Amino acid sequence: MTVTSLTARPAPAPAPRVAPRNLARLLWVELRHNAMPLVLPLIAVLFWFDSYRIAATLPPLWVVRLYYILGQGHALIDFAPFVAGVAAWMGSRDGRRGMGDLVTATVRPRWEAQLATWAATAIWAVGAYLVVMAVTLALLGRSVAWGGPPWWPVAADAVGIAAFASLGFTLGACFPSRFIAPMAAFGGLFAMAISSQTGFSASGGWALILPTMSNGNFGQDAGIFYQWLPDLPIDRVIFAAGVAVAAAGLLGLRPAAGGLRLRHCAAVVTVTGAAASVAAVVLAFTAQLGPYGVVIPALHDAASDRPVRYTPACGHAGIPVCLQPAYRPYLPDVTAALRPLIGEVAGLPGAPVRASQVAAVFAGGPGVQIGPASVGQILTLSGSPPALYMPLGAMALPNSFGADTAGFIDQIKVEAVHTLVTSGGAYGNPAQQAVEAALLQKAGIPPADQPSAMSTTPWPLMGGGPRSAAKYPPAIAAAARRFAALPTATRHAWLAAHLAALRAGHLTLAQLP
Amino acid sequence: MNVELTELTRKFGRTRAVAGVTLEAGPGVFGLLGPNGAGKTSLLRMMATVLPPTSGTLRLLGRDPGSYGPRREIRRRLGYLPQSLGYYPGFTVAEFVEYFALLKDMPPGRVPRAVAAAIEHVGLGDRARAKLRTLSGGMLRRVGIAQAIVNEPELLLLDEPTAGLDPEQRVAFRALLREFGKRATVIVSTHLVEDVAAACTEVTLMDAGRLVFHGTPGELIAQGEGHGVGDAPLERGYSAVLAAARS
């Protein structure tokens, strides 16, 4: 049946393109009506409880406090599930609300309109993260004596949040239902849980790309003695940005997304994002553990290897004691630990004439796995005249995960005596153990407490050592009591005559006075 | 012609929702009548460029909506109110209409005035700042009409636009249709024959995916004289035509 009616009009000329201003306005409308702000208070509370509350109790060093928040990925764990869930809710909005036909029948390609909603969601999520981190850094920084926070790990987390927003949004847009938001949130939580578990156990390779992979990531003295190495965070930024872009591109591949050209463009975006993510994983496989952290040759800047300049903070414990200024809060503890010991050995040949802090570094190199086993140094005595070198960053600082000031002071005493008497990493022979026990007793650690004080020492377990036996063998304990009971002048004179032979392991228990 | 359909067909699986419809329409108000499942909504969705036809040709506003560029230009000049209007509960009336003005790529300078005018046209000026979740069903329908007319379309497709409107609003809405019909092609799918009688210059009756009648409301009334079933003359014409088509 054919119907004719009234007059036909000539087709009007195409309207001028007005995209940018309209897009900005569209984004503004989406920002005003985004669901993300509704969950931000919840995220903030969770972040305070899970991340900030604990980090604030840790030693006042950027590297320690941010290792917990950024290195172990707690910030991302707090944000990601909620961000993924809300993003899925926003992505599924048109489908849930039955807006498909209405939106499709408009001029703007569906992909463009969806990208505006996605951008608003990501802006809220990333913006909230940046604000939370800014406040956190400001609060944490109040008690930090020296240095500044690392920015690349913050950026890596921010881009990671954008990636979760993108994944959640695309999931919601592709499978719109009221259940998609909790499913996406659970998926985000599950992904972070897997990432956490793998991050703690894996030792390198692809797992380095995981946001919760902390092994080799935060050098113990990064930002203090040496620069924060940005290689791994940059790689993670590339990976997360690739995921975010690829997920956003996927939205544009659907037939309803727009015209053929636009879908081709979406395909290019998707492939580019995926390629970036794959490239980042490939780069992670090339990572090596250097002394200051993970080095990725293709991303490494030699400027990052320059040492950090500083003016040491010094005190006196019978000898000058100098620390990196970031460790200034620990100067009283260090001098308190060294003073009684220096009092016992001052003037002896081979005794230190000064004590200086040195950097705690990763014992890396080709073939060395990236993992906690490669961490750990002790106090050393070297040079002429001898100096005591203290890698405090490798020690359990007060308030770090259960450690206290008394334990920290005892640890310094134990390591200082150990390096003075044995000059090595392993337990000494019985004569060395006995002298060590006597000196520790004079330095304020009773024999009964010494096995406990040694429990955190990194030198290896050996049969007969107090650490493994929980007490000294009777012969060593008796010799230690005898040596400690000597008058100070006698003990000092004997050490002056025999310290070199004792350190070389040439003396037996019977040769002790 | 603003609308040119030739043997337009749409299948959903084995079901032919629209079966070879041929139709031409210029400016004016067209009533699209038919029982449930007649294919009215599918026909409107194809004309709204959201549903591609299975076969046949479709030209809207002198363009082929099968190609992306022309389709964009059609959509720029199109107003569409679907049968079931989705909405964002948190948006205000003004924001919702503005949102669609932006999606229709209207020049930014024109948007505020166009939004205000569309809202006034549907009698919601005093509720412009009300959240959509607070509105009644009839008011939501009027919001849907406002978003459809905000870009002053040359082709306005309205699927059950008066469902939920009170009598006073329906009278006002018919006046709006007549006003638009002077310069645009308005196609109204409805069950309410009084809307057709009051506002439409032409009426098309569909059954089982096919066009079974086209003419003026007067001609439809004439079809029912003497043997139609219904309370109103137009209803008698409607039932008579359907009975004839099915016999």
Side-chain angles (χ1 to χ4, degrees):
Chain A
M1 184 174 287
T2 302
V3 180
T4 308
S5 183
L6 303 180
T7 51
R9 291 188 297 178
R17 279 200 60 80
V18 288
R21 258 181 76 189
N22 269 7
L23 267 182
R25 181 68 190 164
L26 203 57
L27 182 61
W28 174 244
V29 172
E30 291 289 1
L31 280 169
R32 286 187 57 189
H33 292 283
N34 204 275
M36 194 63 76
L38 301 178
V39 297
L40 291 183
L42 189 61
I43 295 177
V45 169
L46 182 64
F47 181 87
W48 172 83
F49 184 80
D50 179 52
S51 294
Y52 175 78
R53 187 178 60 96
I54 295 170
T57 65
L58 294 175
L61 299 170
W62 281 120
V63 64
V64 178
R65 292 186 163 186
L66 294 184
Y67 171 76
Y68 186 77
I69 294 178
L70 298 173
Q72 292 189 336
H74 279 262
L76 203 55
I77 291 170
D78 299 336
F79 271 80
F82 291 102
V83 168
V86 174
W89 183 252
M90 293 307 300
S92 66
R93 184 184 65 179
D94 287 353
R96 280 185 292 107
R97 296 281 171 203
M99 298 287 290
D101 277 7
L102 256 187
V103 177
T104 305
T106 58
V107 179
R108 286 206 178 278
R110 189 84 186 271
W111 189 41
E112 221 174 275
Q114 283 182 317
L115 284 184
T117 316
W118 168 79
T121 308
I123 286 171
W124 269 113
V126 174
Y129 168 79
L130 293 176
V131 168
V132 164
M133 280 309 296
V135 172
T136 299
L137 295 177
L139 292 176
L140 292 180
R142 287 185 307 178
S143 53
V144 174
W146 191 87
W151 300 113
W152 273 109
V154 175
D157 267 14
V159 182
I161 285 169
F164 273 97
S166 201
L167 286 169
F169 191 91
T170 301
L171 202 63
C174 293
F175 306 100
S177 87
R178 69 181 67 171
F179 301 111
I180 197 65
M183 283 171 66
F186 180 77
L189 185 65
F190 186 71
M192 292 310 296
I194 295 289
S195 171
S196 253
Q197 203 163 18
T198 310
F200 277 119
S201 57
S203 57
W206 70 270
L208 281 173
I209 212 73
L210 296 174
T212 54
M213 169 73 176
S214 52
N215 298 331
N217 190 2
F218 271 59
Q220 297 103 307
D221 274 330
I224 296 174
F225 281 96
Y226 42 84
Q227 322 250 1
W228 300 94
L229 285 190
D231 302 17
L232 190 55
I234 290 175
D235 197 33
R236 287 176 178 173
V237 165
I238 296 171
F239 177 75
V243 170
V245 168
L250 278 176
L251 283 174
L253 296 181
R254 298 183 302 165
L260 204 58
R261 252 176 78 182
L262 186 127
R263 281 156 61 199
H264 283 160
C265 174
V268 170
V269 168
T270 306
V271 169
T272 304
S277 293
V278 169
V281 173
V282 170
L283 285 174
F285 275 104
T286 68
Q288 297 169 349
L289 184 63
Y292 307 145
V294 175
V295 173
I296 298 175
L299 301 175
H300 191 66
D301 181 357
S304 304
D305 296 330
R306 284 201 295 263
V308 173
R309 290 169 170 270
Y310 63 90
T311 305
C314 295
H316 210 270
I319 57 173
V321 177
C322 290
L323 305 184
Q324 210 280 355
Y327 285 80
R328 185 192 302 274
Y330 299 105
L331 190 57
D333 298 335
V334 175
T335 53
L338 294 179
R339 190 170 289 116
L341 175 66
I342 298 299
E344 282 290 319
V345 301
L348 294 179
V353 297
R354 63 185 173 88
S356 292
Q357 188 187 0
V358 291
V361 296
F362 288 102
V368 177
Q369 280 205 321
I370 295 169
S374 60
V375 176
Q377 297 94 49
I378 58 172
L379 272 63
T380 55
L381 191 62
S382 63
S384 180
L388 185 66
Y389 294 105
M390 304 175 294
L392 298 185
M395 302 174 75
L397 297 170
N399 299 322
S400 58
F401 304 104
D404 56 17
T405 302
F408 174 61
I409 290 174
D410 283 355
Q411 195 181 357
I412 293 174
K413 289 174 179 174
V414 165
E415 291 193 15
V417 169
H418 189 71
T419 192
L420 182 72
V421 174
T422 69
S423 71
Y427 281 119
N429 64 22
Q432 289 171 324
Q433 287 187 41
V435 173
E436 194 172 316
L439 289 177
L440 285 176
Q441 185 182 344
K442 301 309 289 183
I445 305 178
D449 296 342
Q450 290 177 19
S452 165
M454 290 182 179
S455 64
T456 54
T457 54
W459 50 81
L461 288 168
M462 289 180 67
R467 183 170 153 195
S468 60
K471 63 177 184 180
Y472 288 101
I476 294 176
R481 274 196 302 275
R482 276 200 317 276
F483 192 73
L486 293 174
T488 304
T490 309
R491 194 168 53 245
H492 196 266
W494 186 90
L495 283 171
H498 298 93
L499 184 58
L502 182 73
R503 293 191 79 198
H506 296 157
L507 299 185
T508 64
L509 212 51
Q511 292 173 291
L512 295 187
Chain B
M1 288 297 108
N2 283 347
V3 176
E4 297 167 79
L5 316 180
T6 309
E7 288 299 317
L8 199 67
T9 299
R10 175 68 204 194
K11 290 182 185 173
F12 294 102
R14 290 182 179 177
T15 307
R16 277 157 56 109
V18 177
V21 167
T22 298
L23 176 72
E24 288 184 357
V29 182
F30 293 79
L32 191 56
L33 287 172
N36 291 334
K40 304 186 296 294
T41 294
S42 295
L43 186 62
L44 279 185
R45 291 184 72 208
M46 283 190 281
M47 286 193 273
T49 72
V50 296
L51 186 69
T54 307
S55 64
T57 58
L58 171 63
R59 283 184 70 80
L60 301 167
L61 303 170
R63 296 170 173 86
D64 174 14
S67 307
Y68 178 66
R71 189 164 62 235
R72 269 179 70 97
E73 290 309 314
I74 292 166
R75 287 175 174 176
R76 196 184 298 282
R77 295 161 174 80
L78 176 74
Y80 175 47
L81 174 69
Q83 189 175 27
S84 57
L85 174 72
Y87 65 95
Y88 306 134
F91 280 52
T92 64
V93 171
E95 285 169 339
F96 189 76
V97 177
E98 182 196 5
Y99 185 74
F100 279 92
L102 296 171
L103 289 183
K104 290 175 179 182
D105 219 11
M106 290 181 67
R110 273 185 53 203
V111 169
R113 222 171 331 143
V115 169
I119 293 172
E120 283 297 334
H121 258 122
V122 297
L124 285 174
D126 57 336
R127 304 300 300 268
R129 290 173 178 271
K131 299 261 189 200
L132 295 186
R133 69 164 69 92
T134 67
L135 301 185
S136 67
M139 287 177 175
L140 284 173
R141 208 70 194 147
R142 283 146 67 187
V143 174
I145 295 165
Q147 67 78 27
I149 63 174
V150 69
N151 57 331
E152 296 185 11
E154 293 164 35
L155 175 59
L156 181 58
L157 307 169
L158 304 168
D159 203 347
E160 304 287 355
T162 53
L165 298 189
D166 59 42
E168 191 183 0
Q169 281 301 324
R170 277 164 56 189
V171 169
F173 175 67
R174 288 170 196 156
L176 181 69
L177 285 186
R178 283 191 292 269
E179 184 191 326
F180 262 91
K182 290 174 188 168
R183 58 181 187 275
T185 301
V186 182
I187 299 180
V188 185
S189 164
T190 182
H191 288 297
L192 302 172
V193 290
E194 58 266 42
D195 286 346
V196 174
C200 298
T201 51
E202 297 188 40
V203 58
T204 298
L205 185 52
M206 283 186 79
D207 186 42
R210 295 175 297 118
L211 293 190
V212 293
F213 173 83
H214 184 88
T216 63
E219 288 168 347
L220 183 58
I221 290 169
Q223 294 283 322
E225 281 172 1
H227 45 81
V229 178
D231 297 327
L234 207 56
E235 281 178 349
R236 286 194 286 276
Y238 173 90
S239 57
V241 170
L242 281 184
R246 290 168 182 174
S247 62

